[in-house]
């Protein structure tokens, strides 16, 4: 019997993301071998490859046959659960791999695990990439945003494949070599943190429009459709419009109103906030979105608090605020507040990436990151093109809010933004993301903050010393003695 032709690449781990990515690779004309620990998923994938267009995909039922079916130097993508399963899969596959072969982990892996595995792979002569993959199931099948970091040589081995497999936008495929080490995973992690922020801000816009503006789901669907034609055009705004339109098949009204208000999460948002704290970078909008997920989880406590505070005399302010509201103006204000809040959130994410890039010497290209997020991924948005251009204008931009174009946009929108936050505060409708963004903006843009007083307090009780605005040096003052003397 003639030996079967070897595949160009392999993929192990055939849950939905893995299946879809493998089918995408095959559809782009690259013969692919697939493998999964539970072999029924291999058959499932083979069936799909047939029905979705007789795609060049071969299934394998043990690690050895799988690896030997791939042409050298071999590149193997792994898409299994992050953590120990990745190590177990690497152990099973690498036993049959040879020096010069590459392992590519496409999971949402903690970047330090990737850095450890890079060294372990190197010890066996293997190359390694940690590749962030964003876009969910649909993106994996039709064009995700890919964030590969690690061995540059490994990247070059698969460059032709990933450039075809990734989402395509007018300025190229949504993939680029991110940098060394775990940079691909780190960038994907921050992408997810930004995604938390975007989703939180959109949910606040919804809350304000619904509760302060009195908008129905039908109206909300129309407004989000409208917004998706302008500066807010993005995947998340588009899907939000669709969500408002779905009726509940089990009863009256729309399904969105029947969904329990308790958010799930898998950890990348938490990692982003932890990293921000580690690196002393302020990321209050992303942190607010994480805190909101935690608070949403306390459903029983929240219901109890609502009751206890009502009994203690808490009055609902929403109706009195709503009666004074011009609905049309509110809608326009909320759109502007959402946009301005988003700029601040992205500024935080980008500055976190910059701090890590400096620490790890990754040399991240922020314009390129914004570009590869323009398509395929969950945060894809027209607005990312503006971010790309801002970093092209000035690769060392201190913050997006001081880019001349964004600065103008912030100034134009700040009135609307303050009105929305002010209304929400008076109505008792919490908008932690919008408030965090606004406070970030107002803190960052002020040349003088009340931090002088904090320094004085620190010096008084801990002799931590302070600097002066008018002369060089570190100073300490006997505050209490002097105060008592003069008092
Ligand atoms: P399974 O189908 O054999 O469970 C998502 O869970 C994917 O990760 C699935 O393809 C799953 O394989 C795989 N996976 C989870 N843990 C694994 C492990 N320890 N070894 C190999 N694959 C694993």
């Amino acid at each position: 019997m003639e030996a079967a032709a070897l595949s160009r690449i392999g993929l192990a781990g055939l849950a939905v993301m893995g299946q879809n990515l493998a089918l995408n690779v095959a559809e782009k004309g690259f013969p692919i071998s697939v493998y999964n620990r539970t072999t029924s998923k291999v058959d499932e994938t083979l069936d799909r490859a047939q029905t979705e267009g007789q795609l060049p995909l071969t299934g394998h039922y043990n690690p050895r046959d799988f690896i030997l079916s791939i042409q050298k130097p071999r590149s193997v993508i792994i898409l299994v659960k992050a953590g120990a399963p990745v190590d177990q899969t690497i152990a099973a596959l690498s036993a049959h791999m040879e020096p010069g072969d590459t392992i590519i982990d496409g999971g949402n892996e903690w970047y330090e695990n990737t850095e450890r595995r890079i060294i372990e792979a190197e010890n066996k002569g293997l190359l390694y990439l940690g590749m962030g993959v964003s876009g969910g199931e649909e993106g994996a099948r039709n064009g995700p945003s890919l964030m590969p970091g690690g061995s540059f040589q490994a990247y070059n081995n698969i460059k032709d494949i990933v450039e075809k497999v990734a989402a395509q936008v007018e300025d190229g495929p949504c993939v680029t070599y991110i940098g060394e080490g775990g940079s691909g995973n780190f960038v994907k992690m921050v992408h997810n943190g930004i995604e938390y922020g975007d989703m939180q801000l959109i949910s606040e816009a919804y809350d304000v429009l619904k509760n302060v503006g009195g908008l129905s789901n039908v109206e909300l669907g129309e407004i989000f459709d409208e917004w998706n034609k302008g500066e807010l055009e993005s995947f998340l705004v588009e899907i939000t419009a669709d969500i408002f339109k779905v009726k509940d098949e089990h009863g009256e009204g729309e399904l969105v109103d029947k969904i329990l208000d308790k958010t799930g999460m898998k950890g990348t948002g938490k990692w982003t906030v932890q990293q921000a704290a580690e690196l002393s970078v302020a990321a209050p909008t992303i942190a607010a979105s994480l805190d909101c997920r935690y608070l949403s989880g306390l459903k029983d406590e929240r219901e109890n608090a609502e009751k206890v505070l009502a009994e203690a005399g808490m009055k609902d302010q929403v109706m009195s605020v709503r009666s004074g509201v011009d609905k049309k103006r509110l809608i326009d204000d909320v759109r502007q507040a959402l946009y301005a809040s988003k700029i601040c959130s992205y500024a935080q994410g980008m500055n976190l990436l910059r701090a890590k890039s400096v620490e790890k010497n990754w040399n991240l290209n922020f314009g390129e990151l914004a570009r590869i997020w323009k398509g395929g991924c969950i945060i894809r948005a027209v607005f990312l093109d503006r971010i790309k251009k801002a970093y092209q204008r000035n690769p060392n931009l201190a913050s997006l809010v001081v880019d001349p174009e964004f600065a103008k946009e912030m100034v134009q929108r700040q009135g609307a933004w303050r009105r929305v936050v002010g209304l929400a505060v008076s109505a008792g409708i919490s908008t932690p993301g919008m408030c965090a963004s606004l406070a970030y903006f107002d803190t960052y843009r002020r040349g003088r903050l009340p931090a002088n007083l904090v320094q004085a307090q620190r010096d008084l009780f801990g002799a931590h010393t302070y600097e002066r605005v008018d002369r060089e040096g570190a100073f300490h003052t006997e505050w209490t003695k002097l105060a008592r003397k003069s008092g």
Side-chain angles (χ1 to χ4, degrees), residues 12-16 18 35-41 78-82 84-90 92:
L14 298 171
V16 182
Y35 165 74
N36 191 67
R37 180 182 60 178
T38 307
T39 53
S40 58
K41 290 205 181 112
I78 299 176
L79 266 169
V80 299
K81 269 193 215 116
V86 175
D87 289 306
Q88 286 155 10
T89 306
I90 290 172

Side-chain angles (χ1 to χ4, degrees), residues 148-269:
S151 160
F152 187 56
Q153 192 189 331
Y155 177 72
N156 278 327
N157 290 344
I158 56 159
K159 188 167 182 266
D160 58 334
I161 303 179
V162 289
E163 284 188 347
K164 281 239 169 66
V165 162
Q168 309 290 319
V169 290
E170 72 283 359
D171 40 9
C174 293
V175 60
T176 190
Y177 174 69
I178 302 291
E180 291 188 344
S183 60
N185 295 121
F186 196 90
V187 166
K188 173 67 195 327
M189 177 197 79
V190 174
H191 161 286
N192 285 22
I194 291 173
E195 179 183 313
Y196 273 52
D198 275 357
M199 293 169 76
Q200 175 65 27
L201 292 170
I202 289 174
S203 76
E204 293 173 14
Y206 155 63
D207 201 8
V208 171
L209 290 176
K210 179 186 158 107
N211 290 306
V212 182
L215 269 70
S216 67
N217 289 326
V218 172
E219 289 173 304
L220 285 161
E222 286 164 5
I223 294 303
F224 274 79
D225 269 339
E226 194 57 40
W227 286 357
N228 198 40
K229 293 179 189 136
E231 64 192 12
L232 287 171
E233 183 184 337
S234 59
F235 173 70
L236 285 169
V237 167
E238 181 189 335
I239 63 164
T240 304
D242 285 344
I243 287 168
F244 292 126
K245 296 172 193 164
V246 175
K247 300 263 178 261
D248 178 18
E249 57 176 357
H250 298 294
E252 290 287 293
E254 289 77 28
L255 180 56
V256 67
D257 293 327
K258 309 288 170 61
I259 297 179
L260 183 67
D261 49 331
K262 237 174 156 174
T263 319
M265 70 194 108
K266 289 200 173 150
T268 42

Side-chain angles (χ1 to χ4, degrees), residues 19 102 146 161 179 213 223 249 304 330 335 406 436 440 464 482:
Q19 288 190 17
T102 295
L146 299 172
I161 303 179
I223 294 303
E249 57 176 357
N304 182 56
L330 179 70
R335 174 181 57 76
F406 279 122
Y440 178 79
H464 294 298
L482 291 172

